[in-house]
Amino acid sequence: QLIAAMLQMQSQANSSPEVKTALLDAATRVMAVAQVHRRLYTSEDVKTVAIDQYLNALIEDLRSSTEGDAFAQLSLAADPVETDPDRAVAIGVIVNELVINALKYAYPSGKGPIRVGLRAEGGNAVISVEDDGVGFADSAPIGSTGLGQRIVKAMADKLGARISHDSLHRGTRIEIAFAP
């Protein structure tokens, strides 16, 4: 939390919009990881993390870390799923990146709904992040670094997960299927 607070303070003190955005993005990444540790330290079971509860807290952190009502239409529908802390960190980072990307690129002319889902499917779990925005192919502006996409891929590889993009969905829908 201390590191995230320092990043947020640096962001507020900087006049460059690009630097402000980069520092706030870094702060939300730090908070995604911190949320797992907070869950572990307040739980009697340090071997597992309830991903549904963790995602709920993560989404609340995202809402409180942004100015204005940028995340007012951010929702979560989650089945109860548990995993180990290392996998929970990767899941949190993935969700954080996908939500931030949706916030940045899905609605160029305003705000719209961003839905996060977690469902149990057989022995696997599937996380989805979807919006009703401009769509995946058109959403990233020219000059975008694609850092969020690279982070999502790296974390999905760590989980041994499969990433899919639903091209039939209006807007963007990304699913990450993994064994908890």
Side-chain angles (χ1 to χ4, degrees):
Q1 286 180 332
L2 180 62
I3 293 168
M6 287 181 189
L7 289 168
Q8 287 174 339
M9 286 174 30
Q10 282 296 114
S11 170
Q12 292 168 354
N14 200 296
S15 60
S16 166
E18 293 84 12
V19 172
K20 280 182 177 268
T21 299
L23 289 170
L24 287 175
D25 287 352
T28 60
R29 288 177 180 122
V30 168
M31 288 307 295
V33 175
Q35 188 56 248
V36 170
H37 292 278
R38 189 177 317 143
R39 284 244 164 256
L40 287 175
Y41 295 132
T42 59
S43 170
E44 294 185 24
D45 179 11
V46 296
K47 294 180 182 173
T48 62
V49 173
I51 302 172
D52 52 318
Q53 293 172 16
Y54 166 52
L55 290 178
N56 189 50
L58 179 63
I59 285 172
E60 288 306 314
D61 281 351
L62 283 168
R63 281 192 185 115
S64 66
S65 70
T66 59
E67 297 175 16
D69 62 348
F71 286 116
Q73 296 183 50
L74 178 60
S75 64
L76 171 68
D79 292 343
V81 176
E82 291 189 348
T83 193
D84 67 82
D86 286 339
R87 294 176 73 72
V89 167
I91 292 162
V93 170
I94 287 170
V95 169
N96 181 71
E97 292 303 321
L98 292 175
V99 167
I100 293 297
N101 280 348
L103 179 68
K104 283 183 187 178
Y105 305 124
Y107 304 103
S109 60
K111 299 175 183 108
I114 301 170
R115 296 172 296 279
V116 177
L118 169 66
R119 67 183 187 277
E121 252 182 31
N124 289 327
V126 179
I127 291 182
S128 62
V129 176
E130 65 181 62
D131 61 65
D132 298 328
V134 296
F136 189 73
D138 301 326
S139 60
I142 294 172
S144 172
T145 64
L147 178 61
Q149 292 176 33
R150 291 194 311 262
I151 290 172
V152 168
K153 180 162 180 5
M155 293 296 109
D157 289 347
K158 178 178 180 175
L159 291 171
R162 177 184 45 81
I163 302 173
S164 62
H165 174 259
D166 182 353
S167 58
L168 299 176
H169 175 78
R170 179 178 164 252
T172 300
R173 178 182 174 89
I174 304 291
E175 290 191 338
I176 311 290
F178 61 96

